[in-house]
Amino acid sequence: MSTRESNIRVTVYVRKFSEKEILLIPERNQEEICTKVIGANENWNLIRIYQDDNCSQRSICTQLNQLIRDVENGQIDLIITPEAKQFGKDAISAYELSQKLLEYGVGIQFVENQTFTKNPMELLKLEIMA
């Protein structure tokens, strides 16, 4: 499914920063950034925002794990997230998770670096970052 088709079921995933990370990365409204991207695409329907607070390992990121289950159950077509670091603990884990979700036909749009995982060249960019 391309992002140009109608009635795309889109979700947002954000992970809130720890206090230590806030000092290094200015706090910004991640949800607002992602929902603006969705709002600019008339055929995209926001169905849910998943948000984890300060989780450092995927096993304790309850909302990320719920998002994965929802993908596996066919409830999601596209995921919007601010950046790869927010989707995984690093670019490697973000790439690996992107690969898993692509098996279900679900792409991820990383807003910050304009990477869309269903585009092979952009997926390669994510792999190189990893």
Side-chain angles (χ1 to χ4, degrees):
M1 172 179 293
S2 82
T3 58
R4 295 174 199 247
E5 294 179 29
S6 61
N7 300 318
I8 305 291
R9 297 168 298 168
V10 184
T11 62
V12 170
Y13 177 74
V14 294
R15 183 181 303 178
K16 296 297 181 179
F17 295 112
S18 68
E19 286 185 36
K20 181 180 176 184
E21 290 171 315
I22 288 172
L23 297 174
L24 300 173
I25 304 168
E27 183 64 30
R28 58 183 185 243
N29 189 336
Q30 300 174 56
E31 288 179 29
E32 183 178 327
I33 291 168
C34 294
T35 55
K36 281 183 181 180
V37 171
I38 295 168
N41 293 278
E42 64 185 47
N43 296 323
W44 292 5
N45 298 307
L46 176 62
I47 59 171
R48 184 168 176 188
I49 296 175
Y50 299 82
Q51 177 182 317
D52 280 311
D53 293 318
N54 195 21
C55 62
S56 58
Q57 299 174 3
R58 192 169 119 197
S59 61
I60 61 171
C61 294
T62 57
Q63 290 294 289
L64 179 58
N65 290 319
Q66 181 62 53
L67 174 114
I68 294 167
R69 285 190 298 276
D70 291 348
V71 165
E72 293 170 342
N73 291 325
Q75 299 173 7
I76 299 169
D77 299 316
L78 176 64
I79 301 165
I80 306 293
T81 193
E83 58 184 330
K85 181 180 180 189
Q86 296 303 309
F87 200 68
K89 67 177 185 171
D90 54 30
I92 294 170
S93 62
Y95 174 75
E96 290 170 349
L97 189 51
S98 297
Q99 291 287 85
K100 176 181 180 169
L101 298 178
L102 281 172
E103 293 174 11
Y104 294 92
V106 175
I108 305 166
Q109 174 73 49
F110 298 103
V111 176
E112 185 171 284
N113 62 4
Q114 296 298 305
T115 301
F116 180 51
T117 61
K118 281 189 151 184
N119 178 316
M121 294 305 292
E122 293 178 15
L123 183 61
L124 177 62
K125 181 169 57 172
L126 183 60
E127 183 178 13
I128 291 168
M129 288 182 350

